[in-house]
Amino acid sequence: MAAFLDTGPGEIVRLITCGSVDDGKSTLIGRLLWDAGAIPADQVAVLPDTDGAPDLSFLVDGLSAEREQGITIDVAYRFFDIGARRFILADTPGHEQYTRNMVTAASTADLAIVLIDARKGVLTQTRRHSRLLALLGVRRVVLAVNKMDLVEGSQDRFDAIVDDYRAFADRIGLTDITAIPTCARTGENISSPGALTPWYTGPGLMTHLQAVRLAEAAPAPLRMTVQGVSRPNADFRGFAGRIVGGAARPGDAVRILPSGVAATIDRIVTMDGDLEEARAGQSVTLTLSPAVDVSRGDLIASADAPPEVADQFEAHLVWMSERSLLPGRSYWLKLGAATVPARISDLRHRVNVDTGELLAAPTLGLNDIGLCTLALDAPVAFEPCAVNRDLGGFILIDRMTNETAGAGMIRFALRRAANVRPQALSVSRVDRAALMRQSPLVLWFTGLSGAGKSTIANRVEQRLFAEGLHSVLLDGDNVRHGLNRDLGFTDADRVENVRRVAEVARLMTDAGLIVLVSFISPFREERRMARELMEPGEFIEIFVDAPLAVAEARDVKGLYAKARAGQLANFTGIDSAYEAPETPELRIDAAACSPDEAAGRIIDLVHARQAARRSA
């Protein structure tokens, strides 16, 4: 197999196999490798009663062996040649829970083989994989109707399956489909025709793979994602990255995005010496003149045809996590080499993968496909996924667990991304704070319902008012009567509840106020998001820690009793989780500390923080 890892001369084709569980994908891959000469003959026995067909049972699902050993990998790759073409075949499992692996492989594929068991026909996973192929820009499909021996080579069964699949594929934009009846176990129509399907006169699978014309890339302007800055000595400063579109030549005028700074390519540096030209797919180091500021995540683009820069998009999203998507929650968005915080600002709909019906959905679950709008904390250079998969495809990463939570395909930037810009103001937040003779702060009270947050926060504000300090108290119940009256108590609504009040608190610190926020705010991620909105040193997290039994005993509203009786759903501490702070600035033991004692400790902390900020 080592020889097949060498890229060598010839055209390289990226191929993916898709399909549901037990459609025969592993056997088909084994036949391709065997017939292409990628498996030594002395490794393979002969199947009984098959006229010399190889026994490929030792070839298993690309991930099954690794899963049994507890090893986690995304995709297994196989390498083989057919004529002058070199194939890189991505082998992913058909199980629904591993759809994320299929997305990883399809994101770079030129061609897909979609397998269908001739007995079962088109299944939900067949449709899901096909929708993902269409979204990811894979337009050429080989429909391998496999296990034809189990339907006695029936042409009627083959035709019915092909008609069913084509009708579905037309609706999602897959039109370049070649259907081949196969029996991977015996090699029927893999490298040569067989006696099982004498009515089939088309090409075998390998003949088709060798001859199929791939989409020719249209001439494109330069696009290079910057992955690192190289400074081996004081006289050299290069920018290493991968060209994902067009070509680079010394003397070309370029623009650095998102900053928009202009420069000229001076040299194209590689380990084997300088190049006169580098094209898409190559990883190189560029030197520029004059010396300009370039960082990892930036894009070096043709000055004559730069891509758009935006911070809001409409995109298709495939959810890959067992933890449901929560609109409003902050995730890391990785696009090219750039990584920025982002959130789903609006989930437009979820797609029924079987019927294509667009369904209203407050969230997305594992393997769901939806259409959403994204809001980023910083602008990025991009192109629609239909134009450039490298600059239009992204992943979302859970900021707490670092798992890949979703994969998306940008459709376009929202018009408001270009039309809405920050307005320069003559009076600054420093001016407002100076007028009030105080430093703005956010005192964020978190804890279970009934812990005493609002009581303590009210005592603190009374003390601040008595000292002549300017403050405002945002209480969870009060805010839900106005600003957040449209929100319920699902996890998604709780995320949006905290996001809105955090934005209000930030605006109030701009006014120079000390803001007291008394919200359950059950999730660490949203409390972290609120902290990041504020200036360094302005956020104080106060954990009012009360055991559940103490909080229930103080339940003057009767909410815990209703939740225990099943009359109140999504109640924190009963059927909705509370994630206690791990490192709050202050922990109040609500069972042992009176409200006045707690308020005194908080006022001391406020005085200390005010003094520190005045001396800074």
Side-chain angles (χ1 to χ4, degrees):
M1 285 296 293
F4 295 92
L5 295 172
D6 176 20
T7 56
E11 185 180 22
I12 297 177
V13 179
R14 293 185 176 272
L15 177 66
I16 180 175
T17 53
C18 312
S20 193
V21 180
D22 297 329
D23 281 346
K25 178 171 57 65
S26 298
T27 305
L28 181 80
I29 291 172
R31 287 299 315 203
L32 280 174
L33 297 175
W34 169 259
D35 290 346
I39 304 174
D42 58 7
Q43 290 186 11
V44 181
V46 174
L47 283 171
D49 304 322
T50 55
D51 296 326
D55 181 0
L56 302 170
S57 60
F58 73 96
L59 287 165
V60 295
D61 182 296
L63 299 182
S64 62
E66 290 84 354
R67 287 197 302 272
E68 290 171 2
Q69 299 174 43
I71 301 172
T72 301
I73 61 174
D74 282 336
V75 182
Y77 290 96
R78 318 291 187 182
F79 304 85
F80 63 94
D81 292 343
I82 303 177
R85 275 185 168 171
R86 181 144 298 172
F87 289 84
I88 303 175
L89 188 152
D91 178 9
T92 62
H95 305 74
E96 183 176 345
Q97 65 266 37
Y98 294 104
T99 299
R100 61 187 300 163
N101 306 87
M102 179 268 173
V103 172
T104 299
S107 64
T108 59
D110 303 304
L111 180 68
I113 300 175
V114 176
L115 272 83
I116 293 179
D117 186 324
R119 299 167 300 172
K120 301 175 183 177
V122 179
L123 302 176
T124 294
Q125 190 71 335
T126 314
R127 295 187 179 95
R128 177 178 286 108
H129 282 181
S130 298
R131 283 191 184 278
L132 294 173
L133 291 174
L135 289 176
L136 291 162
V138 182
R139 292 289 177 262
R140 284 166 173 75
V141 171
V142 177
L143 184 66
V145 181
N146 196 33
K147 301 187 180 181
M148 288 297 297
D149 56 324
L150 300 182
V151 295
E152 299 179 351
S154 170
Q155 181 177 3
D156 289 342
R157 180 59 180 161
F158 173 78
D159 290 342
I161 291 173
V162 173
D163 289 346
D164 186 13
Y165 184 82
R166 285 189 186 277
F168 168 76
D170 283 344
R171 297 197 300 269
I172 61 174
L174 292 179
T175 57
D176 190 339
I177 298 169
T178 299
I180 302 175
T182 64
C183 177
R185 182 173 179 270
T186 61
E188 182 94 5
N189 296 324
I190 303 296
S191 61
S192 58
L196 185 64
T197 56
W199 44 266
Y200 176 70
T201 58
L205 177 59
M206 294 185 69
T207 300
H208 176 71
L209 292 179
Q210 183 177 8
V212 64
R213 294 190 61 182
L214 302 180
E216 295 183 5
L222 171 65
R223 307 284 188 258
M224 189 184 105
T225 57
V226 178
Q227 298 170 337
V229 180
S230 176
R231 296 176 180 171
N233 55 62
D235 299 325
F236 183 91
R237 188 166 185 261
F239 308 106
R242 181 170 174 268
I243 297 178
V244 297
R249 303 171 190 83
D252 284 353
V254 296
R255 195 169 295 279
I256 315 303
L257 300 173
S259 68
V261 173
T264 300
I265 297 176
D266 189 20
R267 297 170 58 195
I268 304 173
V269 183
T270 71
M271 293 292 291
D272 298 321
D274 285 13
L275 301 178
E276 290 302 313
E277 182 181 78
R279 292 192 165 273
Q282 289 183 272
S283 294
V284 296
T285 297
L286 302 183
T287 65
L288 304 176
S289 60
V292 294
D293 185 21
V294 182
S295 303
R296 174 178 171 81
D298 285 348
L299 185 77
I300 298 177
S302 169
D304 295 333
E308 290 184 77
V309 173
D311 61 3
Q312 296 183 65
F313 308 98
E314 180 170 285
H316 290 289
L317 184 63
V318 183
W319 198 246
M320 298 177 168
S321 173
E322 294 182 358
R323 300 175 65 186
S324 295
L325 164 70
L326 295 178
R329 171 164 287 184
S330 180
Y331 298 89
W332 288 117
L333 180 143
K334 190 174 189 306
L335 175 67
T339 302
V340 298
R343 68 178 186 277
I344 307 302
S345 55
D346 181 27
L347 183 56
R348 301 288 179 83
H349 59 246
R350 177 176 66 83
V351 180
N352 182 314
V353 295
D354 282 312
T355 66
E357 183 182 5
L358 306 182
L359 306 172
T363 185
L364 294 179
L366 179 65
N367 296 328
D368 279 345
I369 302 171
L371 183 69
C372 67
T373 58
L374 288 137
L376 282 58
D377 283 6
V380 295
F382 81 99
E383 289 184 302
C385 195
V387 175
N388 188 318
R389 287 196 279 179
D390 290 282
L391 296 181
F394 63 87
I395 61 173
L396 291 180
I397 301 169
D398 189 303
R399 298 183 65 172
M400 298 293 288
T401 65
N402 285 325
E403 74 164 334
T404 299
M409 291 67 69
I410 293 175
R411 297 186 68 202
F412 50 78
L414 302 182
R415 289 183 60 188
R416 61 177 179 263
N419 296 337
V420 179
R421 294 185 175 90
Q423 176 66 41
L425 302 177
S426 299
V427 179
S428 71
R429 70 195 318 270
V430 175
D431 297 330
R432 300 185 193 102
L435 182 65
M436 293 184 177
R437 301 180 185 276
Q438 65 183 35
S439 296
L441 286 175
V442 173
L443 306 179
W444 193 283
F445 296 79
T446 178
L448 292 172
S449 176
K453 300 182 300 299
S454 296
T455 300
I456 295 171
N458 191 53
R459 300 285 176 89
V460 171
E461 189 178 32
Q462 288 177 313
R463 295 275 297 270
L464 293 173
F465 184 79
E467 294 182 10
L469 294 172
H470 303 271
S471 64
V472 64
L473 172 55
L474 300 175
D475 182 80
D477 283 356
N478 293 347
V479 172
R480 279 188 177 273
H481 278 87
L483 176 67
N484 292 349
R485 69 186 305 168
D486 60 317
L487 299 177
F489 293 90
T490 65
D491 285 355
D493 283 342
R494 290 182 186 278
V495 168
E496 178 62 12
N497 189 43
V498 172
R499 187 195 70 80
R500 290 184 193 178
V501 79
E503 292 284 359
V504 171
R506 182 184 63 81
L507 292 172
M508 288 181 168
T509 59
D510 284 348
L513 295 171
I514 297 174
V515 188
L516 297 84
V517 178
S518 177
F519 273 55
I520 293 173
S521 46
F523 303 131
R524 295 189 188 104
E525 175 60 26
E526 277 58 60
R527 298 195 299 268
R528 182 203 55 74
M529 175 273 297
R531 181 186 295 272
E532 290 183 352
L533 284 176
M534 312 307 165
E535 295 293 322
E538 282 187 0
F539 189 90
I540 298 175
E541 186 176 36
I542 302 165
F543 177 29
V544 183
D545 188 2
L548 182 59
V550 172
E552 285 198 67
R554 296 175 175 176
D555 185 18
V556 296
K557 303 175 186 177
L559 300 179
Y560 282 98
K562 289 182 179 180
R564 295 286 188 191
Q567 300 171 3
L568 191 61
N570 302 313
F571 192 77
T572 303
I574 303 300
D575 58 351
S576 185
Y578 177 78
E579 299 172 358
E582 296 176 327
T583 56
E585 278 76 7
L586 183 62
R587 175 185 172 272
I588 302 294
D589 185 346
C593 185
S594 72
D596 284 331
E597 291 172 332
R601 292 177 60 188
I602 295 168
I603 289 295
D604 289 343
L605 184 56
V606 170
H607 289 162
R609 190 63 63 91
Q610 292 277 308
R613 292 178 64 79
R614 283 194 298 269
S615 62

